[in-house]
Amino acid sequence: MSRPVLETKGLTIRFGGHVAVDSVSAAFHAGTLTAIVGPNGAGKTTYFNLISGQLSATAGSVLIDGVEVTNFGAARRARSGIGRAFQLTNLFPNLTVHENVRLAVQARAGGGANIFSRWDSRRDWIKQADRFIEAANLTDKHATAAMALPHGDKRKLEVAIMMALEPHVFMFDEPTAGMSVDDVPVILDLIKKLKAGGDKTILLVEHKMEVVKSLADRILVLHNGRLVADGDPAKVIGSTVVQAAYLGIPAGRRRPGEAPHG
Amino acid sequence: MIKTLLSGDLPRSRLLSGLLVLILATLAAAPLLFPGAQAINTAAKICVFVVLVASYDLLLGYTGIVSFAHTMFYGLGGYGVGLALYSWGPTWASALAGLTIALFAGLALAFLIGLFSLRVRAIFFAMVTLAVASAFAILAAQLSSFTGGEDGRSFRIPELLRADALIELPFVGPITGRTITYYVVFLSALASFLGALRIVNSPFGRVLQAIRENDFRAEALGYRTIFYRTSANCLAAGMAVFAGALNSLWFRYTGPDTTLSFAIMLDILLMVVIGGMGTMYGAVIGATLFIVAQNYLQKLMGAAAKSTEALPLLPHLLHPDRWLLWLGVLFVLSVYFFPTGIVGKLRQG
């Protein structure tokens, strides 16, 4: 198999005595959508933070395209191709939808340090930003301040910002959390389109099992910070360790009809 | 044309546009309109403070950095040009050399302060700037053989700019060096302001706003926030140095009370807040209002106190010595009613 786009080796972080992520090793290849599941507090978001650089690891390493980035800060990892959509919406509240996306386009183009030209004179950036805004179904709100958007639109904007970065690795952290039934398909379509491109590396933290089943090529299960299962969705979902992890009781004693959830 | 000059950031309010045009026209024609020394001094001071306050707005309003060292940079410019003219004689070369030295010193200081303390929490940065600025002010007051100590230094300016210089201009007639100095100050201030407006409306300026809004997210997009914050700190410092140089050129004096004192730092803060943070035009409105009030409120109150002499209590309240009290009241009211500043309020419609 070709070299993984992203790899973690023995990735560990300790907060005092608590080991939030415990020696997680996994490799992620282009063209694969990997879902990361596990009960609340399993360390999914912490694992994401270790990959995208918001937290630095206590031990272990992160490699992007075979290059060790463990000591890089979040900004440098973003420039190395890590894109992140956050679980708790993380926008520029007083800037418009367009400006939010445009900042990502500009970050990708690397033109942030220009103090002489006018922000509104770069037609190419404007066009690109508009394209991502349209893909997220936000065109009619492009001039609205991010803080004034309803929750569902904020989530869409969160995803649009990451898309506009055009990263090598897309990290979605519960992209549909708290969204209305109408809004969920917009996000899922975006992820599906991304996946259909066939060459993107996508990581997805998601609680909704039907979403995971429909999208994932592979599932990682985290439990108490440890990687307890890794493999084909159908097999992993049915496995006893996963059911034990989710329900905290040995598999088989689960009452009929109860679905594993977070 | 106007849109290009203003970098696409139009006032977006008729009343605001009107006010700005009025201020610009008055400042541009000040030497013709007002023969008195106080009026022209006030106009020059407004020009200087527009630059100073705009540079502080770049820091506070656009980048979200609270610094108390802005008067230090202002003082560096003032002392740089002042001491150069004092020690090396009243020539253009010494003024320029003084400005250059002050600019380099200011940028170096801003860079160091930024690099060492902008990584950490905002409150820590504010404290560091406060400490460095206090140390600088004490230093300037103590090194009296060099800086003139508490008394400061008066100096002569290049010949062309002196009051007794008389230049014959075609179509206009004779003008004094004082008028020339005024226009040097006015045009420099105008250019600096338009420059600042360009900076905040550039791709760089948007990154500053993004950092103010959510530095965590800006970092996750790949922007090194420390680089942008330090750059903003240096740009603002450079502009403040320039404002200080203009101030020295106009008043032919530099001293701790006119440039380095903490009272001026507070004035700058008030002007930014009253005008409207993060708007640039707020610097023009805030500085103009504040300085006009500072210079004329006392006179106005004197007249009011006289006219109410017969009434009880009122003349005491309106006594010119109470002008700071009324300025304080005005400030509290303006912050209460216009939390986004005058410009913010006007833009709301």
Side-chain angles (χ1 to χ4, degrees):
Chain A
M1 211 173 198
S2 63
R3 191 169 64 191
V5 175
L6 171 71
E7 194 174 2
T8 69
K9 288 182 180 165
L11 201 59
T12 303
I13 187 166
R14 235 172 260 123
F15 298 112
H18 174 64
V19 187
V21 170
D22 191 355
S23 193
V24 175
S25 299
F28 303 92
H29 292 267
T32 315
L33 190 151
T34 309
I36 297 165
V37 301
N40 283 334
K44 305 182 296 288
T45 297
T46 311
Y47 184 52
F48 263 29
N49 282 336
L50 287 170
I51 293 173
S52 56
Q54 274 76 28
L55 290 171
S56 15
T58 315
S61 54
V62 178
L63 292 89
I64 301 172
D65 290 324
V67 179
E68 167 130 15
V69 298
T70 320
N71 296 322
F72 290 7
R76 198 152 167 211
R77 290 198 206 184
R79 279 179 278 130
S80 308
I82 299 276
R84 175 89 188 266
F86 291 89
Q87 180 185 13
L88 299 172
T89 304
N90 219 318
L91 307 166
F92 304 113
N94 281 304
L95 302 184
T96 65
V97 168
H98 178 82
E99 286 171 323
N100 268 272
V101 177
R102 187 64 188 281
L103 277 160
V105 172
Q106 179 183 310
R108 158 112 182 104
N114 186 331
I115 64 169
F116 299 111
S117 77
R118 265 167 59 184
W119 156 266
D120 54 6
S121 67
R122 289 296 300 256
R123 300 255 161 250
D124 48 339
W125 292 355
I126 295 175
K127 263 193 202 131
Q128 281 182 51
D130 285 342
R131 194 155 51 77
F132 290 109
I133 290 168
E134 199 188 335
N137 218 357
L138 286 169
T139 304
D140 50 336
K141 291 184 175 155
H142 76 104
T144 310
M147 62 191 282
L149 293 174
H151 178 79
D153 287 344
K154 280 186 184 156
R155 302 296 304 156
K156 287 190 225 162
L157 179 55
E158 177 74 37
V159 170
I161 289 174
M162 175 175 62
M163 297 289 196
L165 266 182
E166 300 183 73
H168 303 312
V169 182
F170 293 76
M171 301 174 74
F172 294 91
D173 196 350
E174 295 198 45
T176 64
M179 271 189 143
S180 73
V181 186
D182 297 337
D183 285 332
V184 171
V186 178
I187 296 295
L188 294 186
D189 279 353
L190 275 172
I191 300 177
K192 272 178 199 153
K193 261 186 215 149
L194 206 58
K195 199 186 152 187
D199 54 348
K200 302 291 192 287
T201 312
I202 307 168
L203 274 65
L204 169 72
V205 165
E206 183 57 73
H207 277 304
K208 298 188 182 85
M209 274 304 160
E210 63 278 19
V211 173
V212 171
K213 271 185 205 160
S214 72
L215 290 173
D217 303 311
R218 170 190 176 198
I219 294 186
L220 298 185
V221 184
L222 288 181
H223 182 43
N224 290 334
R226 265 194 296 275
L227 184 63
V228 294
D230 177 358
D232 184 66
K235 276 186 207 155
V236 170
I237 290 174
S239 79
T240 49
V241 277
V242 174
Q243 303 200 346
Y246 262 94
L247 298 166
I249 51 170
R253 274 167 58 190
R254 182 155 73 90
R255 272 165 283 152
E258 198 172 5
H261 60 80
Chain B
M1 168 71 176
I2 286 180
K3 210 175 164 188
T4 309
L5 270 177
L6 300 181
S7 307
D9 185 3
L10 301 173
R12 298 205 307 274
S13 149
R14 264 206 202 142
L15 191 52
L16 179 59
S17 310
L19 275 174
L20 290 169
V21 169
L22 183 72
I23 291 171
L24 179 69
T26 312
L27 288 178
L32 311 170
L33 292 175
F34 315 111
Q38 194 195 355
I40 196 79
N41 275 338
T42 307
K45 205 173 166 191
I46 290 174
C47 293
V48 169
F49 268 78
V50 165
V51 179
L52 188 59
V53 175
S55 65
Y56 196 65
D57 194 27
L58 177 69
L59 216 51
L60 179 70
Y62 282 88
T63 323
I65 296 174
V66 180
S67 162
F68 292 111
H70 218 56
T71 42
M72 175 176 78
F73 297 116
Y74 183 53
L76 260 173
Y79 275 99
V81 169
L83 295 181
L85 287 171
Y86 179 83
S87 333
W88 299 331
T91 63
W92 289 103
S94 45
L96 218 62
L99 176 62
T100 312
I101 292 169
L103 265 177
F104 275 108
L107 290 178
L109 257 174
F111 179 76
L112 285 177
I113 296 175
L115 207 59
F116 284 119
S117 48
L118 279 172
R119 293 177 180 279
V120 285
R121 293 179 43 191
I123 184 79
F124 183 68
F125 178 76
M127 292 301 124
V128 167
T129 56
L130 194 58
V132 174
S134 304
F136 189 83
I138 292 168
L139 205 65
Q142 296 291 317
L143 287 173
S144 46
S145 59
F146 179 50
T147 62
E150 299 283 357
D151 296 334
R153 287 270 191 243
S154 291
F155 45 85
R156 284 151 66 79
I157 50 177
E159 210 165 329
L160 177 71
L161 303 178
R162 287 183 211 151
D164 50 10
L166 216 61
I167 314 278
E168 195 75 34
L169 278 189
F171 307 118
V172 185
I175 58 167
T176 67
R178 208 69 190 128
T179 308
I180 297 175
T181 316
Y182 178 80
Y183 280 110
V184 168
V185 171
F186 170 74
L187 291 174
S188 306
L190 185 63
S192 308
F193 178 77
L194 293 176
L197 203 58
R198 171 55 59 98
I199 289 173
V200 299
N201 286 295
S202 68
F204 173 82
R206 281 313 140 107
V207 179
L208 296 187
Q209 281 173 288
I211 290 170
R212 173 196 72 197
E213 293 288 304
N214 188 344
D215 55 348
F216 175 83
R217 188 44 151 154
E219 191 86 23
L221 287 182
Y223 294 116
R224 277 168 300 159
T225 52
I226 178 77
F227 165 79
Y228 286 93
R229 282 197 170 123
T230 307
S231 309
N233 202 35
C234 290
L235 282 171
M239 260 183 93
V241 166
F242 190 60
L246 292 180
N247 190 59
S248 272
L249 210 57
W250 177 257
F251 287 102
R252 291 155 293 161
Y253 165 80
T254 185
D257 289 340
T258 54
T259 51
L260 291 172
S261 84
F262 195 69
I264 295 176
M265 191 62 241
L266 285 182
D267 289 351
I268 298 172
L269 256 169
L270 292 184
M271 290 181 216
V272 170
V273 172
I274 290 173
M277 280 196 281
T279 58
M280 271 302 146
Y281 294 111
V284 180
I285 303 284
T288 307
L289 258 184
F290 194 90
I291 290 165
V292 167
Q294 214 174 25
N295 283 278
Y296 293 98
L297 196 60
Q298 274 173 293
K299 266 192 188 166
L300 194 73
M301 285 175 60
K306 241 190 196 131
S307 63
T308 54
E309 243 168 352
L311 301 170
L313 195 66
L314 214 53
H316 294 286
L317 277 176
L318 292 175
H319 191 276
D321 287 353
R322 311 272 179 281
W323 78 278
L324 259 177
L325 168 76
W326 289 105
L327 200 64
V329 170
L330 279 179
F331 175 66
V332 170
L333 288 179
S334 77
V335 170
Y336 186 79
F337 287 108
F338 316 126
T340 50
I342 293 171
V343 170
K345 186 74 187 171
L346 288 176
R347 279 181 173 173
Q348 270 167 29

